[in-house]
Amino acid sequence: RACRDELRRAVRELGLIGAILLADGFLDRRTAAAFEPLFEEANALGAHLFIHPGPLPAADGDGGAAGDSAGAAPDNENQRHIVLDVQARLSSVSVTLCMTDFLDAFPNVTVQVANLGGSIPLLAERLDHVAWRRDFPGGPPSARFGRIYVDTSSFGPRAIALTAEVFGADRVLVGTDHPVFDTAWVLDGIAGSGLAESDRAAIRSGNAGQILKRKRG
């Protein structure tokens, strides 16, 4: 109830368009069910929800960031967490949101998943192949990825181009994760992606502008 009240206050009194939620709350459909009341409130408000890497409070220590010094460790702990583990968790988030019925009841909510939605752009063909070979209902999973927005945080031209192909350029938002990552890296990645200028402009500002217009209109 406290989360619902705070979201309502943020939107109606403070003029915000939504909130940030922790990714570990959406690693599977069962865990995500606990957030249905909050999404009901977000749906009534027409809010935008940004899902960012982070552990739930109950999972104390699980998924927490490795220390900076870990990058020099022989096992590359820092890289394993920041790159591999974080992207795997965000991939699970995208599967929960796109490939289950979770979002069906909340058509007025827009959802953004950080870091290209995990590794989904690279895995889309495999997801479709598995669904086809095992006769999963609902058609190819890739047809459902347009249900969410993803952002470009920390990625370069090849990943951004692939993401625009898989999700649609109209579902990609510029994201930098500044000051943790370098803003120029991402902007250069968009510029060098080989996408049409109209798509690059949409990613840089147009798509976000449309979201803000709808939420504040």
Side-chain angles (χ1 to χ4, degrees):
R1 182 178 178 82
C3 289
R4 297 182 67 170
D5 291 345
E6 185 62 15
L7 178 62
R8 190 182 310 114
R9 185 181 78 89
V11 173
R12 292 183 175 173
E13 298 180 23
L14 302 181
L16 303 178
I17 66 167
I20 300 176
L21 302 179
L22 298 172
D24 283 12
F26 302 90
L27 295 180
D28 55 48
R29 180 63 178 86
R30 182 180 59 184
T31 305
F35 289 84
E36 288 177 353
L38 181 61
F39 270 72
E40 290 173 359
E41 186 67 36
N43 194 66
L45 294 167
H48 180 78
L49 299 176
F50 175 38
I51 299 182
H52 187 276
L56 293 174
D60 187 23
D62 183 29
D68 289 341
S69 62
D75 200 37
N76 298 297
E77 180 183 352
N78 194 266
Q79 289 278 13
R80 288 177 186 274
H81 169 70
I82 293 177
V83 180
L84 304 182
D85 184 48
V86 164
Q87 291 305 108
R89 287 171 180 266
L90 289 173
S91 298
S92 290
V93 170
S94 294
V95 167
T96 298
L97 296 176
C98 295
M99 294 172 58
T100 76
D101 65 350
F102 180 80
L103 288 179
D104 291 356
F106 314 115
N108 295 325
V109 179
T110 51
V111 182
Q112 170 186 347
V113 181
N115 300 12
L116 301 186
S119 302
I120 292 296
L122 182 62
L123 299 175
E125 293 169 326
R126 181 172 171 82
L127 287 168
D128 284 351
H129 194 187
V130 169
W132 171 62
R133 290 295 294 172
R134 303 195 179 188
D135 199 25
F136 290 170
S142 60
R144 298 170 61 86
F145 293 147
R147 307 183 86 190
I148 63 175
Y149 291 87
V150 299
D151 67 51
T152 61
S153 176
S154 79
F155 285 88
R158 289 175 295 180
I160 292 170
L162 181 60
T163 301
E165 179 181 344
V166 171
F167 282 89
D170 62 330
R171 309 305 285 188
V172 184
L173 306 172
V174 66
T176 65
D177 213 355
H178 178 82
V180 178
F181 289 101
D182 181 49
T183 299
W185 173 276
V186 171
L187 295 180
D188 288 346
I190 296 171
S193 63
L195 297 171
E197 173 54 28
S198 58
D199 288 339
R200 285 180 282 155
I203 293 171
R204 286 194 301 263
S205 61
N207 296 333
Q210 288 297 316
I211 293 173
L212 290 170
K213 182 178 179 180
R214 290 197 301 270
K215 300 305 179 184
R216 291 175 173 168

